[in-house]
Amino acid sequence: MAAVQDGQLNLEVEKDIKTEITNDGSGNINANSSSPGSTSSGGKSKSPAGSGEDQQTLLAVLQFLKRNKLTESVDILRREAGLSADADDSPVSESAGAGSGGVPSVGADGGDANSLLSRVSIATPVAPPATAPPKVVAASGGEDQPDVNVVLSAYSQQGDPVLYPLYYNGLKKFIESVLDCHRAELSQVFYPLFVHMYLELVYNNHENEAKQFFEKFSGDQECYYEEDLRILSSMSKKEHMKGNETMLDFRTSKFVLRISRDSYQLLKRHLQERQNNQIWNIIQEHLYIDIFDGMPRSKSQIDAMSGSLAGEGKRDANKAKVFYGLLKEPEIEVPLDDEDEEAENEEGKPKKKKPKKDSMGSKSKKQDPNAPQQTRIPLPELKDSDKLDKIMNMKEATKKIRLGPDNLPSICFYSFLNAYQGLTAVDFTDDSSLIAGGFADSTVRVWSVTPKKLRRVKSAADLSNIDKESDDVLERIMDEKTASESKILYGHSGPVYGISFSPDRNYLLSSSEDGTVRLWSLQTFTCLVGYKGHNYPVWDTQFSPYGYYFISGGHDRVARLWATDHYQPLRMFAGHLADITCTLFHPNSNYVATGSADRTIRLWDVLTGNCVRILTGHKGPIHSLAFSPNGKFMASGATDGRVLLWDVGHGLMVGELKGHTDTIYALKFSRDGEILASGSMDNTVKLWDTLKAFDDVELDDFTAATGHIHLPENSQELLLGTYMTKSTPVIHLHFTRRNLLLAAGAYNP
Amino acid sequence: MAEERRPKQCTVVLPTESMKAMAESIGVGQLQEESCAALSEEVSYRIKEIAQDALKFMHHGKRCKLTTSDIDYALKLKNVEPLYGFQSQEFIPFRFASGGGRELHFYEEKEVDLSDIINTPLPRVPLDVSLKAPKEQQKTESTEPLKAVKPGQEEEGSTQKGQGATSAEAKGKKDGLMRMKPRSTHELSVEQQLYYKEITEACVGSCEAKRAEALQSIATDPGLYQMLPRFSTFISEGVRVNVVQNNLALLIYLMRMVKALMDNPTLYLEKYLHELIPAVVTCIVSKQLCLRPDVDNHWALRDFAARLMAQSCKTFSTTTNNIQSRITKTFTKVYNNCWLDDKTQWTTRYGCIAGLSELGPDVIKTLILPRLTVEGARIKAVSDGPVVSNIDKIGADHVQNLLLKHCASVIAKACPLPDNVEQYRADYGYLGPMLCSHVVKARAQAALQAQQVNRTTLTITQPRPTLTVSQSGIGGSGGSRTPSIIKVPSSLTLMSTRPGTPTQPSPPATKYIVMATSSGSSSTQQVITRTSSSVTSTVASATSTLQPLVKLESGGSRPLQKYIVVSLPSSSSLESKSGVLPPSSSTSPILLEARIKVDCSDSPGASTQSPH
């Protein structure tokens, strides 16, 4: 568990806090140069005796106390700190927007721990940090690990433990007796209710009753909650609740249900008639019921969306506008003569016109209305080498094979031999010339898959001897003696779980169990930076498609956005309720998507740091994400073996691809987006017809507004092919620029 | 709600005895029962918690097996010191012990003598990680058919869609998977291995009934693609061995396997032609195929193999692989050498001519007819000349028959009507007059066939008439055999005098009609009959049926002698009744002194031997 476990709240504070601190988890913390540095624990920082705390922290504490009507303490503290009365007011106004991205509806709680620290929005996130490192932790600490006792205090209401099963049964009978159309909706209540009732029993030390209750009703819950139930079942004592992540997740976030107004009224009336206060209290306190007008949803509709740790995403959570369009391609002066020569050499004349039209005309002339502004986030300038690479890319793209159901890609499989079950991550460069593998033995290995060998730059002493004026200076700086097909990078001290090449192929990122992300130079094959911030295993890291930025996410549930030249994160995206398992940049680099073990996917705005999408529907931890090349759609794969397709603009699930029998570790769209390839632990690569999948979805205004979509059951039609490996789990997939599919995995004899 | 109640959630806790044992191990003597219970619950909970975290590491390590290191990392996550040194060789390193009413699991730690470790040789250094990928260059530029195609990689997609070019390519690419380990061979499932064993044993075994069944299975079973490489190797190896041992019977069996494979519509042999064609050609032109060339009817095998060759040419020849032209070239080269060199065996010569003739009238017209004079002279030299070896004489006779048979029909179609004997003599030398009479007969036969309305005409169309053409990159070195698929819907017209499908095995178990073709007046049927006669190779004749049966002995040291009888009726009874003498029977010396053995499978010793 992240952060501190020892909530050292002052006792009197603890008692007085009756207001529930809801850390809905959607708060975001932006860091910038002006934001305060503070210690890593919200709890600790409240101790006034703590010396060395800076003023900002004090202000935050003061606010907190004030809000909780602890005027006495406020006065004392202020006196001690020697602060003026108005000094603490300034951050308040600034913190207004905190937490607004995710859940505006909990506005009342908006000023919770998130806003303990002032959040200062900034215009240029890439502004280099001045003296103070951009660090925001108190909030995230509080969010990750709210004080247990505070959280549990909500369970203090005492009911007769013997009555719990009766209450539950009564509700069950009622729901079973209502009209069919309402039954499915109301059945959603069962699971959160069950969990909270169980936790209440446990909290109040009714161990035996809790066990009985669990045994009696756990079988009724949907099968996709099995994992959570298993964790619950192991928790049978109040002491266990301390520090148990799942329990905290349940307490800190309201379970979100979407219920139609009619069904809700029905439930309300029933509970009020029966005077069933126990259940009503739980619903009031721990559940968030998102009421909508209209037809109740069907069972399948509900099932499609449910399954996450904290229920469905609220509808409001997905209302923010997402600029999913692609950025304008920079105008590149194509060296005409060079291009012509090439084209003529290979294809003769007719080819020659095309590439320019494609590259210059269609892409750059018209601006996508859905695209963000070009300068919405600052992007690194193109270097000459980048331009050359872009030109190469265009040339290759003209030779791209047009894929479709009748024209499936060839698959080339790279097998890692003798990996002894130690291959944990793979990445290809965009031009498919290099392949990198992260291993459980802490090493990162880079292979060249072209005849061009990997060479190191000469040592400084040797470099001084080269003639810098010569034309082939770039060749001369390389040390021929070091040429080899593969290089090993040593530096991590734990398994390397994430690996990513920079788009210009000069750098490599790796994230590891040791809590660091490392940046490696592929010129010198040495480690350049170790980014420390995650104190727990970092499960994934990913370069932005434009380079410079990268995202990392790990066990501490916070995704961090970094720039390669800053050793502190630029943004921290907090909100997930469990480990962040995979991270991915949107093709336009303005958004990042994170998949989590809480079975949700969140999309974050890089500029504001807000969570702009919460996508629920997976029934297991998400292990792979992929954006379609046009940025409009997203695919996600999870341990449940299903691939879900999402419309990023609307925040809707638009497809479900069933077929895999094990965790999906790799997803990739073809270069034109017609085909989705998925690779899984079940030793198969499957190809899906995404064009058809996206076409089949009818998006009328109603579904777009409510998000209640009917998913067509067409996995079998969309499945274009299944390719078995012998005994090699597929852990990475990559489409070359010509649409050849590369796959990689370690052979498990 | 869940349909069925899930298995009970794990509420397992450690037994209190374990607590006691653990307490004792660290020196706590008397532990209260309640403490034990409380402890065990707590410990169980913590263990579960750690296991759940360890599971996370397993998932991110992309494994399905939880390792001890996962648990170490999970402990580290909880700020607990990992269990150093828990490196077990075994999966479950615990030992069980009981005694004194207690049951214990313990971790066995043996005392190791340090000198032992020092003195033992170092273990081999584990291999370093390496990256394997299919060599695309090899794929596209190989001129040989893909030998390494291991069909285990069959994907559902391509079977559904047929062998589209792309999926075939994709499949080829996927074969890289199979090469991930050097020397790794694709393993057949146990069922397939059994099947393969049964089939191959039956095909070369002694029981004709079984063989018929096996061949039928090969010819019709749709799921054999995985075994195709094995079959192909089996055949090519088999031919190689048995040619050397002159084991005619087995060669025939193997050729019949080839035939059956070709008949299977779900198999596509192109990728295995590089193994099959040499085997078949060997059976056509080899100098010696049996132990006693004078008595054994290896001619039938040559004919049969020649027909197979012709069939595969028709089926698989494409502009890229040029099988037909390459085969023709091979035959003519040998054939030309035959003409130049008198020493060439008649057997080889026969094979070449047979092979060429089967390729069609055009080939006969351009390659054989011009040579008839030379060949005639040579035959004359043998038959009229001084006493030569019997073998040569028989060989010459066979060549003569063969030439007459094939050429007559071609000439009959090509030449104008008045068949002048002198003209023929002038054109074709020694063979002229005989040819003339054959042509006359052929014309008569054709006329007769035209009259017979209900004559069965069997058209065998090749199994897969339509297949897409996939042209993969043609390599520089001729590229004649690049893997490419083209299918000429070839049809083989058989005019059988008997209604019925000659390619189907006839009901009686002892007889198996392998094939029947007719390119002219006479239809040829090859009936292979097996008998368990213990008499050594005998050739008997029964003039009534005019069926020359040649009995072949299968070599080998098996306790049970096996014989195969191959009959080559050059004419059917129908024809002989109709008064038209089959050309071969009238002219062939071997048929004049036809020896036919009354040979039934149930009469081992009943064969009569006629003097040769």
Side-chain angles (χ1 to χ4, degrees):
Chain A
M1 192 50 237
V4 263
Q5 311 248 349
D6 51 342
Q8 302 175 338
L9 266 186
N10 291 334
L11 265 178
E12 81 260 323
V13 175
E14 179 192 340
K15 269 185 208 154
D16 289 347
I17 295 176
K18 286 286 185 241
T19 36
E20 185 190 349
I21 295 188
T22 9
N23 292 294
D24 58 83
S26 61
N28 307 286
I29 307 94
N30 287 334
N32 77 336
S33 53
S34 63
S35 68
S38 90
T39 58
S40 62
S41 148
K44 271 181 188 155
S45 65
K46 285 184 188 103
S47 152
S51 61
E53 291 174 277
D54 59 30
Q55 201 180 14
Q56 294 281 3
T57 317
L58 267 177
L59 291 181
V61 175
L62 282 174
Q63 274 174 49
F64 181 78
L65 297 174
K66 219 177 183 181
R67 209 176 51 248
N68 291 300
K69 312 269 186 324
L70 300 168
T71 38
E72 239 181 71
S73 319
V74 173
D75 286 335
I76 296 166
L77 183 58
R78 190 170 293 155
R79 227 177 300 128
E80 274 178 17
L83 281 175
S84 62
D86 53 354
D88 53 352
D89 287 329
S90 52
V92 183
S93 55
E94 281 175 355
S95 70
S100 62
V103 194
S105 50
V106 250
D109 307 319
D112 64 354
N114 288 345
S115 51
L116 276 179
L117 277 191
S118 59
R119 169 185 162 279
V120 186
S121 60
I122 42 160
T124 49
V126 277
T131 46
K135 180 128 186 180
V136 186
V137 204
S140 78
E143 187 152 58
D144 273 5
Q145 188 78 34
D147 186 78
V148 181
N149 291 318
V150 179
V151 166
L152 294 182
S153 62
Y155 279 141
S156 57
Q157 51 165 321
Q158 271 281 11
D160 188 350
V162 187
L163 291 178
Y164 274 59
L166 291 180
Y167 289 146
Y168 189 88
N169 236 345
L171 187 71
K172 195 173 151 188
K173 287 222 176 70
F174 161 71
I175 289 176
E176 274 165 8
S177 67
V178 298
L179 288 174
D180 279 358
C181 59
H182 299 299
R183 193 186 303 149
E185 283 205 318
L186 292 180
S187 300
Q188 297 177 87
V189 179
F190 282 135
Y191 175 67
L193 211 57
F194 168 80
V195 174
H196 284 290
M197 289 173 94
Y198 177 77
L199 289 178
E200 264 186 42
L201 286 171
V202 172
Y203 182 78
N204 294 320
N205 289 324
H206 303 297
E207 197 180 321
N208 290 328
E209 284 87 352
K211 261 185 189 155
Q212 280 167 12
F213 182 76
F214 189 90
E215 271 169 37
K216 198 163 177 190
F217 299 113
S218 69
D220 295 346
Q221 310 307 327
E222 299 283 357
C223 47
Y224 41 77
Y225 291 121
E226 200 171 337
E227 285 286 305
D228 289 345
L229 289 178
R230 195 172 299 144
I231 296 170
L232 274 183
S233 73
S234 65
M235 196 160 47
S236 54
K237 285 201 182 329
K238 188 177 175 182
E239 295 82 61
H240 295 160
M241 297 175 88
K242 229 176 223 175
N244 186 293
E245 298 167 28
T246 318
M247 204 283 314
L248 283 171
D249 292 336
F250 248 96
R251 288 298 305 118
T252 53
S253 58
K254 282 190 169 185
F255 197 95
V256 181
L257 301 170
R258 288 190 201 174
I259 291 183
S260 69
R261 191 170 294 282
D262 294 350
S263 307
Y264 179 69
Q265 297 291 359
L266 218 60
L267 180 69
K268 200 172 166 186
R269 210 178 309 133
H270 167 78
L271 291 175
Q272 279 167 354
E273 274 169 18
R274 295 289 184 84
Q275 304 274 306
N276 203 339
N277 285 327
Q278 201 71 31
I279 286 181
W280 186 240
N281 280 341
I282 290 178
I283 289 179
Q284 288 285 303
E285 281 180 31
H286 306 309
L287 268 54
Y288 178 93
I289 296 187
D290 198 3
I291 300 162
F292 62 87
D293 295 306
M295 288 280 292
R297 293 186 295 170
S298 70
K299 170 101 174 107
S300 66
Q301 277 176 318
I302 292 168
D303 277 351
M305 299 286 283
S306 58
S308 105
L309 202 57
E312 300 178 36
K314 291 168 192 154
R315 277 180 301 142
D316 300 337
N318 290 339
K319 284 288 176 270
K321 171 143 176 75
V322 171
F323 302 100
Y324 56 79
L326 299 185
L327 291 179
K328 211 162 66 175
E329 284 291 316
E331 305 264 345
I332 294 174
E333 302 292 326
V334 180
L336 286 174
D337 44 353
D338 182 37
E339 168 110 325
D340 285 353
E341 264 171 34
E342 279 272 35
E344 267 163 9
N345 283 348
E346 290 192 45
E347 304 287 342
K349 285 202 170 170
K351 271 277 171 189
K352 156 175 104 180
K353 291 283 180 200
K354 263 193 178 170
K356 263 161 277 159
K357 264 184 193 159
D358 274 1
S359 53
M360 313 290 286
S362 62
K363 269 190 192 159
S364 51
K365 288 280 157 56
K366 59 170 192 258
Q367 166 81 19
D368 190 334
N370 293 311
Q373 283 204 326
Q374 203 73 9
T375 54
R376 193 164 178 267
I377 63 163
L379 292 172
E381 271 184 35
L382 281 182
K383 288 179 297 210
D384 285 350
S385 56
D386 298 329
K387 285 179 185 161
L388 275 177
D389 195 55
K390 282 238 184 298
I391 292 166
M392 277 303 294
N393 194 353
M394 287 171 192
K395 279 184 193 163
E396 292 269 321
T398 58
K399 293 171 194 155
K400 184 165 58 184
I401 297 166
R402 190 138 185 100
L403 298 179
D406 305 319
N407 195 14
L408 295 179
S410 300
I411 306 173
C412 172
F413 203 105
Y414 286 92
S415 305
F416 288 78
L417 303 182
N418 311 315
Y420 308 104
Q421 309 236 332
L423 181 71
T424 43
V426 178
D427 195 28
F428 287 94
T429 53
D430 186 62
D431 68 347
S432 318
S433 63
L434 300 176
I435 182 170
F439 291 84
D441 62 1
S442 316
T443 60
V444 175
R445 288 163 198 253
V446 185
W447 280 268
S448 168
V449 291
T450 55
K452 201 177 154 195
K453 298 219 163 135
L454 301 174
R455 293 170 304 174
R456 210 169 272 175
V457 172
K458 285 180 185 161
S459 68
D462 292 336
L463 280 176
S464 60
N465 295 332
I466 336 175
D467 174 16
K468 286 165 195 74
E469 300 304 314
S470 69
D471 290 339
D472 59 343
V473 67
L474 286 178
E475 271 299 306
R476 291 196 186 190
I477 59 168
M478 303 314 258
D479 189 354
E480 272 309 319
K481 276 174 284 181
T482 59
S484 62
E485 274 187 10
S486 81
K487 290 260 186 274
I488 307 179
L489 306 173
Y490 296 104
H492 281 296
S493 58
V496 179
Y497 289 118
I499 205 162
S500 175
F501 279 106
S502 73
D504 60 2
R505 296 189 298 286
N506 282 328
Y507 303 104
L508 177 70
L509 275 176
S510 61
S511 70
S512 159
E513 185 270 342
D514 62 14
T516 62
V517 179
R518 278 175 188 272
L519 181 76
W520 308 85
S521 164
L522 296 182
Q523 300 291 339
T524 60
F525 292 97
T526 52
C527 181
L528 300 177
V529 197
Y531 299 95
K532 290 172 188 166
H534 297 274
N535 283 323
Y536 292 95
V538 188
W539 297 131
D540 200 6
T541 187
Q542 175 91 29
F543 250 114
S544 147
Y546 292 88
Y548 188 60
Y549 301 110
F550 66 92
I551 177 96
S552 65
H555 178 75
D556 61 5
R557 307 167 176 205
V558 181
R560 285 166 163 83
L561 179 88
W562 312 72
T564 48
D565 55 358
H566 292 53
Y567 65 92
Q568 298 283 7
L570 301 178
R571 292 279 183 280
M572 294 168 73
F573 305 110
H576 276 297
L577 299 172
D579 300 32
I580 289 171
T581 48
C582 51
T583 56
L584 185 68
F585 260 95
H586 190 275
N588 68 19
S589 200
N590 277 264
Y591 298 91
V592 288
T594 53
S596 164
D598 66 9
R599 307 187 286 269
T600 63
I601 300 157
R602 282 170 187 250
L603 193 70
W604 310 87
D605 189 335
V606 168
L607 180 65
T608 63
N610 288 333
C611 175
V612 288
R613 291 286 178 272
I614 301 176
L615 307 171
T616 61
H618 273 297
K619 318 284 190 250
I622 289 139
H623 274 275
S624 53
L625 293 170
F627 275 106
S628 69
N630 61 10
K632 210 175 165 212
F633 299 103
M634 185 165 73
S636 60
T639 53
D640 56 9
R642 300 180 315 147
V643 177
L644 297 181
L645 303 174
W646 309 90
D647 182 325
V648 174
H650 294 100
L652 287 178
M653 188 194 297
V654 290
E656 180 189 19
L657 307 173
K658 287 185 208 163
H660 281 296
T661 56
D662 209 331
T663 310
I664 293 157
Y665 280 117
L667 279 173
K668 202 69 138 201
F669 281 93
S670 69
R671 293 273 169 166
D672 294 323
E674 293 104 337
I675 299 246
L676 175 70
S678 60
S680 160
M681 200 66 188
D682 62 10
N683 299 348
T684 58
V685 175
K686 284 179 193 280
L687 300 179
W688 309 89
D689 187 349
T690 43
L691 224 49
K692 187 168 180 321
F694 295 139
D695 279 351
D696 283 359
V697 175
E698 78 281 7
L699 266 188
D700 49 56
D701 288 343
F702 176 73
T703 49
T706 58
H708 306 149
I709 192 141
H710 284 281
L711 284 183
E713 269 288 330
N714 55 357
S715 291
Q716 280 317 303
E717 295 165 41
L718 298 176
L719 180 62
L720 296 175
T722 301
Y723 302 86
M724 307 269 287
T725 71
K726 191 180 177 192
S727 180
T728 308
V730 185
I731 66 170
H732 194 73
L733 290 168
H734 175 77
F735 274 96
T736 68
R737 290 168 176 174
R738 299 190 187 186
N739 264 339
L740 173 75
L741 180 56
L742 306 180
Y747 177 63
N748 276 346
Chain B
M1 296 288 106
E3 282 78 17
E4 85 269 35
R5 288 185 75 88
R6 238 165 276 113
K8 212 171 136 195
Q9 292 289 344
C10 40
T11 49
V12 187
V13 290
L14 289 171
T16 49
E17 286 80 28
S18 302
M19 290 301 120
K20 276 187 186 148
M22 282 182 222
E24 272 171 32
S25 73
I26 53 165
V28 180
Q30 296 295 318
L31 206 59
Q32 304 258 317
E33 196 62 37
E34 290 118 65
S35 329
C36 279
L39 267 177
S40 78
E41 260 185 69
E42 179 66 18
V43 170
S44 311
Y45 172 71
R46 296 298 165 195
I47 288 177
K48 280 176 195 168
E49 221 177 26
I50 285 163
Q52 274 155 9
D53 277 341
L55 219 56
K56 254 181 215 172
F57 285 92
M58 183 195 81
H59 276 301
H60 284 282
K62 276 102 179 171
R63 276 176 278 115
C64 324
K65 235 184 229 165
L66 193 75
T67 63
T68 50
S69 60
D70 289 332
I71 294 177
D72 285 350
Y73 292 128
L75 287 169
K76 202 174 152 194
L77 213 59
K78 300 248 172 246
N79 254 335
V80 181
E81 199 159 342
L83 304 163
Y84 293 112
F86 194 88
Q87 303 287 337
S88 174
Q89 302 288 317
E90 296 134 282
F91 188 57
I92 302 174
F94 299 104
R95 295 284 167 275
F96 177 75
S98 62
R102 293 215 298 193
E103 296 179 336
L104 266 181
H105 289 271
F106 62 94
Y107 179 49
E108 193 177 28
E109 279 181 297
K110 285 183 194 138
E111 279 184 24
V112 189
D113 190 354
L114 211 58
S115 61
D116 280 355
I117 296 181
I118 295 166
N119 292 332
T120 45
L122 288 171
R124 277 203 305 156
V125 177
L127 292 170
D128 199 17
V129 185
S130 62
L131 186 64
K132 267 264 166 180
K135 292 270 188 291
E136 285 168 63
Q137 298 300 316
Q138 286 178 5
K139 290 273 177 190
T140 48
E141 286 176 16
S142 72
T143 50
E144 282 298 304
L146 290 176
K147 195 177 182 176
V149 168
K150 298 289 194 317
Q153 291 298 320
E154 193 60 36
E155 74 274 47
E156 289 153 32
S158 83
T159 40
Q160 286 159 6
K161 290 188 282 95
Q163 294 198 323
T166 325
S167 66
E169 195 191 350
K171 193 176 152 193
K173 288 279 155 39
K174 288 295 285 184
D175 288 330
L177 289 178
M178 300 311 302
R179 297 185 190 166
M180 57 196 122
K181 215 178 163 191
R183 288 161 165 263
S184 90
T185 50
H186 180 75
E187 279 165 28
L188 296 177
S189 69
V190 180
E191 294 78 17
Q192 283 172 324
Q193 288 176 21
L194 282 176
Y195 176 84
Y196 174 76
K197 190 163 159 279
E198 285 288 315
I199 288 284
T200 47
E201 273 176 6
C203 279
V204 297
S206 55
C207 176
E208 180 58 35
K210 266 195 188 166
R211 177 165 25 258
E213 250 175 71
L215 291 174
Q216 176 78 7
S217 169
I218 295 179
T220 51
D221 210 314
L224 295 182
Y225 54 87
Q226 285 186 327
M227 278 168 280
L228 194 49
R230 266 82 177 178
F231 280 131
S232 157
T233 314
F234 177 79
I235 290 166
S236 93
E237 297 282 316
V239 167
R240 214 172 287 167
V241 170
N242 287 299
V243 158
V244 176
Q245 295 183 350
N246 292 321
N247 196 338
L248 182 58
L250 276 176
L251 288 176
I252 290 172
Y253 298 152
L254 291 171
M255 284 303 108
R256 285 168 66 184
M257 272 182 83
V258 177
K259 168 75 180 151
L261 285 174
M262 288 181 69
D263 284 345
N264 192 324
T266 61
L267 294 182
Y268 194 60
L269 296 185
E270 203 206 23
K271 294 209 165 81
Y272 305 94
L273 287 181
H274 67 287
E275 279 189 320
L276 293 178
I277 285 185
V280 174
V281 172
T282 304
C283 288
I284 300 175
V285 298
S286 177
K287 275 181 202 161
Q288 202 179 355
L289 288 172
C290 50
L291 284 172
R292 283 168 306 280
D294 49 341
V295 285
D296 297 345
N297 190 352
H298 54 94
W299 314 105
L301 173 59
R302 291 176 199 276
D303 283 338
F304 180 58
R307 253 172 256 128
L308 276 181
M309 195 62 245
Q311 193 186 339
S312 47
C313 280
K314 278 176 190 148
T315 320
F316 300 110
S317 187
T318 64
T319 46
T320 7
N321 61 17
N322 285 320
I323 291 177
Q324 169 131 14
S325 68
R326 285 161 76 183
I327 292 296
T328 318
K329 245 178 238 162
T330 313
F331 282 143
T332 30
K333 209 163 69 192
V334 186
Y335 191 35
N336 285 342
N337 287 344
C338 299
W339 266 304
L340 296 173
D341 183 8
D342 276 340
K343 279 173 224 151
T344 313
Q345 297 276 334
W346 284 99
T347 47
T348 305
R349 192 168 296 167
Y350 179 91
C352 288
I353 297 171
L356 284 173
S357 324
E358 294 292 347
L359 291 176
D362 285 341
V363 179
I364 295 177
K365 204 189 282 177
T366 50
L367 291 174
I368 299 183
L369 288 190
R371 299 286 192 175
L372 271 183
T373 330
V374 187
E375 204 58 29
R378 192 169 289 146
I379 292 167
K380 187 164 184 282
V382 173
S383 54
D384 297 356
V387 180
V388 282
S389 77
N390 198 20
I391 295 175
D392 275 353
K393 202 166 157 55
I394 296 170
D397 286 340
H398 272 281
V399 171
Q400 185 181 338
N401 288 340
L402 185 74
L403 283 172
L404 291 175
K405 185 176 83 182
H406 286 297
C407 295
S409 59
V410 176
I411 296 171
K413 274 173 201 153
C415 293
L417 237 191
D419 294 319
N420 188 347
V421 179
E422 291 310 311
Q423 180 64 37
Y424 272 87
R425 191 188 293 282
D427 283 352
Y428 305 114
Y430 170 73
L431 291 173
M434 284 178 275
L435 206 53
C436 180
S437 66
H438 270 83
V439 171
V440 172
K441 260 177 257 164
R443 291 192 203 282
Q445 183 76 21
L448 188 74
Q449 280 177 0
Q451 285 164 9
Q452 276 181 330
V453 188
N454 58 349
R455 183 174 284 273
T456 44
T457 303
L458 180 72
T459 309
I460 295 179
T461 316
Q462 274 308 299
R464 278 154 298 168
T466 51
L467 263 180
T468 52
V469 184
S470 97
Q471 291 280 62
S472 49
I474 298 163
S477 61
S480 47
R481 278 219 224 163
T482 16
S484 61
I485 310 165
I486 195 165
K487 269 289 187 161
V488 185
S490 73
S491 63
L492 195 89
T493 309
L494 299 179
M495 281 172 290
S496 166
T497 47
R498 282 182 202 169
T501 52
T503 44
Q504 292 299 314
S506 54
T510 50
K511 271 192 175 182
Y512 185 72
I513 306 165
V514 176
M515 187 177 172
T517 38
S518 163
S519 52
S521 56
S522 62
S523 82
T524 314
Q525 273 191 341
Q526 191 169 333
V527 180
I528 299 174
T529 317
R530 208 202 68 76
T531 163
S532 56
S533 162
S534 60
V535 187
T536 46
S537 160
T538 52
V539 181
S541 71
T543 44
S544 57
T545 60
L546 273 174
Q547 278 198 333
L549 293 174
V550 180
K551 189 162 190 192
L552 310 166
E553 185 193 5
S554 75
S557 57
R558 300 187 196 179
L560 183 75
Q561 289 272 40
K562 281 188 289 185
Y563 298 96
I564 179 146
V565 177
V566 176
S567 76
L568 176 73
S570 53
S571 68
S572 69
S573 51
L574 234 179
E575 282 169 323
S576 46
K577 269 178 207 159
S578 70
V580 184
L581 273 172
S584 53
S585 61
S586 63
T587 48
S588 162
I590 195 169
L591 285 186
L592 286 179
E593 49 183 84
R595 302 139 301 171
I596 292 176
K597 176 187 161 217
V598 185
D599 194 357
C600 307
S601 55
D602 54 349
S603 58
S607 59
T608 53
Q609 192 165 10
S610 74
H612 183 68

